[in-house]
Amino acid sequence: MGAKRRRSIKPNLLSHTRPQNLQPLRPLSSRATRNVIRKHHTLQKQISQAVATKNVSLATSLQSQIDAAGGLPTYQHASILGQSAARGGDSSKVLMEWLTPSLKRNPTYVTPQSYRKLRMLEVGALSVENACSRSGFFDIERIDLHSQHAGILEQDFMKRPIPEKELLHEEGFDVVSLSLVVNYVGDAKERGDMLRRVGSFIRVRQDIERAEDLGKGTMNALPALFLVLPAPCVLNSRYLDEETLERIVGNEGYELVQKKLSKKLVYYLWRFKGAKDSQRQSFRRVELRPGGARNNFSIVMR
């Protein structure tokens, strides 16, 4: 009898790391909401580590724990509750605080010949009623791995077709929102892949009136990436700090124009100027801040 073939396990796309589970959802207190989100992220990170070391039995056991806790629907339910006005509001309010003054001066931000609204791609969308949606300034495409609303397309961003260059003007976006999305990806290299992919969907429009015609302000930020992360990912990581994050994102053709730090979240608005492959650098995981109380969050660009 021949030797048994070992079952191999390969790193999955993000879509394969978030299981569907149709158990009824229960009300959650603020404390329970935080615990659900924290536990889900921890287990997801441990699964990625198990996958990387080809530990099939451990990865299966950890996945069972996620399923037993309610899977993705419970996690999304907790995330939606966390974005409610009663619990601190949604992160897109910060984006609108930055953009609204300039948008009110020129709601379409285009030449009189086109009169089209700005286009936004919201990755990991949980609601169709957040601040961006209510503003009326955007035509928004919302996607998530496990949609809970008819207005949100069920789609993996890493599988979303990239527009052809000649169609980018029409199919591209003026704003791409990654709010509490990158931190969900369990593998540091895949986080880098996600950030790099964003630029393929951003359009640098030639028909847009330039900022000097509209007055100074955050309008200079467009087209842009809106990035939101849990504060500890940047402020208490062993491998990532603000300076390194700015170098990583800047390496992809962005410049930082706005930021806000809070105890729980960090918000960034990055203007996209365009990236050249020949100028891109790789970023490895390097210890920046030693200490037992640090977390291991990192972003690797290959």
Side-chain angles (χ1 to χ4, degrees):
M1 179 180 295
K4 290 184 177 180
R5 294 177 60 187
R6 292 187 60 186
R7 180 184 171 190
S8 63
I9 183 167
K10 297 179 180 179
N12 286 323
L13 288 172
L14 182 58
S15 59
H16 298 140
T17 65
R18 297 171 72 174
Q20 295 190 15
N21 191 302
L22 301 179
Q23 295 179 5
L25 300 177
R26 64 184 186 281
L28 296 172
S29 66
S30 295
R31 182 175 181 180
T33 296
R34 292 192 298 271
N35 288 340
V36 167
I37 294 173
R38 187 181 300 113
K39 181 178 180 181
H40 190 90
H41 283 172
T42 299
L43 289 172
Q44 207 52 71
K45 180 173 66 175
Q46 292 173 347
I47 287 177
S48 294
Q49 293 170 347
V51 168
T53 58
K54 303 187 186 305
N55 192 332
V56 178
S57 60
L58 178 57
T60 302
S61 174
L62 292 169
Q63 184 63 65
S64 296
Q65 292 182 51
I66 289 180
D67 293 343
L72 178 61
T74 296
Y75 169 79
Q76 287 186 314
H77 179 54
S79 298
I80 291 170
L81 289 175
Q83 287 194 13
S84 67
R87 300 190 184 182
D90 76 272
S91 60
S92 73
K93 288 198 302 184
V94 175
L95 176 61
M96 294 314 303
E97 288 172 4
W98 289 335
L99 294 182
T100 295
S102 294
L103 292 174
K104 281 187 174 179
R105 286 199 295 271
N106 190 323
T108 55
Y109 189 38
V110 294
T111 59
Q113 286 74 29
S114 49
Y115 289 109
R116 288 170 294 180
K117 290 184 179 180
L118 295 168
R119 279 171 51 79
M120 174 185 288
L121 175 63
E122 187 177 0
V123 182
L126 297 173
S127 170
V128 298
E129 299 178 354
N130 60 9
C132 288
S133 301
R134 296 193 305 270
S135 72
F137 291 124
F138 301 98
D139 285 330
I140 304 178
E141 288 193 27
R142 308 172 184 88
I143 64 173
D144 191 62
L145 296 173
H146 184 68
S147 172
Q148 294 191 350
H149 192 281
I152 301 174
L153 174 66
E154 189 158 298
Q155 185 182 62
D156 186 340
F157 174 68
M158 300 305 290
K159 290 183 175 180
R160 182 182 176 93
I162 295 175
E164 299 291 337
K165 287 186 178 180
E166 59 270 20
L167 298 177
L168 187 60
H169 178 78
E170 294 292 332
E171 298 180 1
F173 297 90
D174 304 292
V175 181
V176 175
S177 172
L178 295 180
S179 178
L180 300 177
V181 173
V182 174
N183 57 289
Y184 193 96
V185 182
D187 181 77
K189 293 178 182 178
E190 292 180 2
R191 294 176 195 138
D193 292 343
M194 173 174 278
L195 284 176
R196 176 158 292 171
R197 204 167 199 266
V198 171
S200 300
F201 294 91
I202 294 180
R203 60 183 181 182
V204 180
R205 296 172 56 184
Q206 301 302 317
D207 63 334
I208 290 179
E209 294 178 7
R210 298 321 308 160
E212 57 263 29
D213 299 323
L214 299 171
K216 295 181 179 179
T218 309
M219 189 60 75
N220 285 295
L222 299 178
L225 163 65
F226 179 55
L227 177 67
V228 184
L229 294 167
C233 290
V234 180
L235 304 182
N236 193 42
S237 168
R238 188 174 286 106
Y239 304 107
L240 185 69
D241 57 17
E242 281 204 288
E243 180 182 351
T244 304
L245 178 63
E246 188 166 352
R247 288 173 57 212
I248 289 173
V249 182
N251 186 58
E252 297 303 309
Y254 299 86
E255 63 177 347
L256 181 63
V257 293
Q258 288 281 6
K259 73 174 181 178
K260 177 180 178 179
L261 310 180
S262 71
K263 291 182 179 180
K264 295 182 179 180
L265 300 174
V266 289
Y267 309 79
Y268 300 98
L269 187 64
W270 306 82
R271 178 175 179 262
F272 184 66
K273 300 182 297 181
K276 296 181 179 179
D277 292 337
S278 60
Q279 297 177 352
R280 281 183 169 136
Q281 302 174 6
S282 61
F283 286 86
R284 299 180 294 108
R285 189 164 108 155
V286 177
E287 186 174 67
L288 304 171
R289 293 180 289 203
R294 305 289 186 187
N295 65 70
N296 294 323
F297 185 83
S298 63
I299 298 174
V300 171
M301 306 300 291
R302 44 190 169 181

